[in-house]
Amino acid sequence: MNNANEVELAGIPSVPHASYPPRTGNRLRPLIDGEPAFRRVCEAIEQAKHSVWVTVTFMWAACQMPDGRGTPLDVLNLAAARGLDVRILFWRPDPETEHLKTNAFWGAPEHFDRLITSDAMVRIRWDRAQPGYCQHQKSWLIDAGTETEVAFLGGINLNPHSVVAPGHRGEGQNHDLYMELTGPSAVDVHHNFVQRWNEASERELEDGRWGEGSENDLTFPTQVPRQQGNSTVQIQRTIHSGRITNNHPTPGGAAYPIEAGERSNFDQYCAAIGAARRSIYMENQYITVPEIIDCLRQALMRGVEIVLLIPAAGDIPEALSALAVFDHFTLAGIAGLNDEGKRSPVWVHSKLMIVDGEWGTVGSCNLHRYSLFGNCEMNAAFWDREAARAFLDELFAEHLDLSVGELDDRSALQLFREIARSNRKLFEAGERRWQGLAYSLIPHSS
């Protein structure tokens, strides 16, 4: 078993003040865009032998899983009908976040009617966040604590705009991703679920849980899964103070004072950007926290090549636009072709960063003050050149419609910059035939 002091990491430092230690021996797999990601999640559920535990922020009534499997609840009900222990943690918004109830499965009377009508055998607990914030984790844990344990985590919501194919041919689509994780660090996803399930805020209320057995707490994991690959992974979180009180340690880790909260996502982003020497590739829905933007500016001053991919149709923070004074900075969006053959902006919802082609993080954490300082979030940071390049190569194959496998990380980002600027000129000219999907969001004279 590994703890934070037993793992030597080169280049990007890990976070010492965190619930979970870096662990060697993990296997990672990128899952780009919602249709392939949820197809793989559904396959894992169908192959599950013991349990399926899920954390959900939003679940739209109109959401359908791939290949005619029905709604997410249909998929989970089928698993429960096979005798699996299926548990779901749903977010219940507070009055401060009332406007977000529309697409949340928050325990309204109509939601209970749906559970009754479908004879749902799943176990549910509802959980509030710190007022004004969100229970924002998105994770799927299959066969927790067994030899077949596998975890999926990232940012994809159960949303019809997100369950889409790579390439984004259509209108109103979201770009997003998951990571499939097997190996020792899956125990920390397991620990996180137990910690949250046992202290879910609504568990004692009549409308705060559903299903026979939902009144029972879970036991914390006791064993670290066997090694499966070559990735070192540290599970990192944002937890607001006062939301969780039981600091029972994860296997192979030390007790962490979780009642005071956790900000290891913020600490890791700052540390990774600060340690970058060649390149930073980032996809994020929001990049607004001044400390993060200042870290990016410092990296640019060191000569680091940086590409940020953000929503094409969103407002660009002035502080990000100001970074365009550096020629080796690219602020880009993506736009696919709709049914009429016209370019349609794609909303970037992913939360990923790859540094120097050898380190990365994937999860639910946006780079705004909510995700970094108040929401409940979970990311997986990983130290593995092969896994980092797998994400980079697959994303660039979609965004640029070409292979960058023969290029080093810095050259790949420079090529991204060239293509994005060229596509920007085509966009301004009203031309729809581009190289791939990516285009610069800031005009360049050169």
Side-chain angles (χ1 to χ4, degrees):
M1 293 186 292
N2 302 114
N3 61 41
N5 296 321
E6 293 174 336
V7 179
E8 292 186 5
L9 301 171
I12 309 301
S14 63
V15 176
H17 192 62
S19 291
Y20 305 122
R23 302 181 192 268
T24 60
N26 299 281
R27 181 173 61 85
L28 308 179
R29 176 184 175 185
L31 298 168
I32 309 302
D33 291 311
E35 185 178 285
F38 283 125
R39 179 176 292 117
R40 175 67 192 113
V41 168
C42 287
E43 290 170 354
I45 292 172
E46 290 158 3
Q47 296 162 4
K49 296 178 171 61
H50 305 282
S51 63
V52 179
W53 298 350
V54 190
T55 63
V56 177
T57 306
F58 298 105
M59 186 172 76
W60 291 37
C63 183
Q64 295 285 315
M65 295 302 239
D67 310 317
R69 287 181 168 90
T71 68
L73 197 56
D74 291 335
V75 171
L76 294 169
N77 280 339
L78 281 174
R82 289 198 290 117
L84 272 60
D85 176 22
V86 179
R87 297 174 189 259
I88 314 168
L89 276 166
F90 282 115
W91 174 46
R92 176 170 288 174
D94 280 294
E96 293 86 348
T97 49
E98 186 88 15
H99 63 289
L100 295 173
K101 280 187 173 182
T102 304
N103 296 309
F105 197 85
W106 56 272
E110 59 267 27
H111 298 149
F112 279 93
D113 289 344
R114 185 177 169 192
L115 293 168
I116 294 168
T117 302
S118 64
D119 294 321
M121 299 171 66
V122 300
R123 299 176 173 116
I124 297 171
R125 284 187 177 184
W126 279 274
D127 197 16
R128 297 186 189 273
Q130 185 75 8
Y133 292 98
C134 176
Q135 297 288 18
H136 199 241
Q137 293 180 350
K138 299 109 168 57
S139 63
W140 302 71
L141 182 63
I142 314 299
D143 289 345
T146 74
E147 284 296 310
T148 52
E149 184 171 36
V150 57
F152 301 88
L153 65 161
I156 313 179
N157 285 314
L158 294 166
N159 172 334
H161 301 286
S162 295
V163 188
V164 296
H168 299 290
R169 296 191 66 88
E171 194 79 39
Q173 296 195 2
N174 296 338
H175 166 67
D176 215 333
L177 52 86
Y178 267 179
M179 171 195 289
E180 180 176 348
L181 164 66
T182 54
S185 286
V187 75
D188 300 322
V189 182
H190 181 173
H191 182 277
N192 170 81
F193 188 91
V194 172
Q195 204 174 46
R196 285 198 54 203
W197 175 269
N198 290 355
E199 299 196 48
S201 65
E202 312 299 275
R203 65 191 184 280
E204 302 295 341
L205 301 180
E206 184 177 351
D207 67 345
R209 63 175 189 259
W210 167 271
E212 184 178 351
S214 63
E215 70 279 6
N216 298 327
D217 285 353
L218 294 166
T219 58
F220 281 98
T222 58
Q223 292 186 330
V224 177
R226 64 182 177 87
Q227 298 203 355
Q228 299 272 3
N230 299 315
S231 295
T232 296
V233 172
Q234 184 179 25
I235 300 299
Q236 298 167 344
R237 300 190 296 180
T238 306
I239 303 290
H240 198 285
S241 61
R243 304 311 301 178
I244 300 173
T245 61
N246 190 335
N247 66 352
H248 184 97
T250 188
Y256 179 82
I258 193 61
E259 64 277 5
E262 181 173 352
R263 291 185 176 180
S264 52
N265 281 323
F266 174 72
D267 292 343
Q268 182 65 84
Y269 263 98
C270 292
I273 297 170
R277 292 296 175 264
R278 300 189 306 272
S279 67
I280 296 172
Y281 177 73
M282 184 187 293
E283 296 186 0
N284 210 283
Q285 183 178 204
Y286 301 105
I287 308 173
T288 59
V289 168
E291 294 94 327
I292 298 294
I293 297 174
D294 185 61
C295 285
L296 292 169
R297 175 177 287 277
Q298 294 298 320
L300 287 164
M301 291 174 67
R302 297 194 304 273
V304 176
E305 186 80 28
I306 297 181
V307 173
L308 306 186
L309 192 76
I310 66 173
D315 294 330
I316 301 175
E318 184 177 345
L320 280 185
S321 296
L323 298 181
V325 297
F326 296 92
D327 191 59
H328 49 288
F329 172 73
T330 304
L331 187 65
I334 53 176
L337 291 169
N338 62 21
D339 294 338
E340 298 176 353
K342 298 179 180 178
R343 288 283 168 175
S344 178
V346 176
W347 187 265
V348 173
H349 192 264
S350 44
K351 302 94 171 58
L352 162 140
M353 185 167 70
I354 304 293
V355 175
D356 292 344
E358 60 187 26
W359 176 94
T361 182
V362 169
S364 66
C365 188
N366 292 305
L367 298 181
H368 55 28
R369 68 175 185 85
Y370 299 100
S371 284
L372 290 173
F373 305 128
N375 288 351
C376 177
E377 307 281 6
M378 183 164 59
N379 274 40
F382 57 94
W383 290 256
D384 181 354
R385 184 184 302 274
E386 184 176 340
R389 281 310 303 242
F391 272 101
L392 202 64
D393 292 353
E394 193 165 337
L395 288 165
F396 280 29
E398 177 184 65
H399 301 338
L400 306 181
D401 194 25
L402 52 76
S403 172
V404 297
E406 299 301 315
L407 301 176
D408 64 39
D409 58 289
R410 188 174 174 87
S411 298
L413 267 66
Q414 289 169 343
L415 179 60
F416 191 109
R417 167 165 39 100
E418 293 172 11
I419 292 174
R421 290 184 180 181
S422 174
N423 285 343
R424 172 73 194 196
K425 293 178 181 178
L426 295 172
F427 166 76
E428 291 173 349
E431 174 60 62
R432 64 193 66 169
R433 290 174 294 178
W434 298 358
Q435 174 70 45
L437 308 176
Y439 68 111
S440 176
L441 297 180
I442 299 175
H444 290 267
S445 57
S446 59

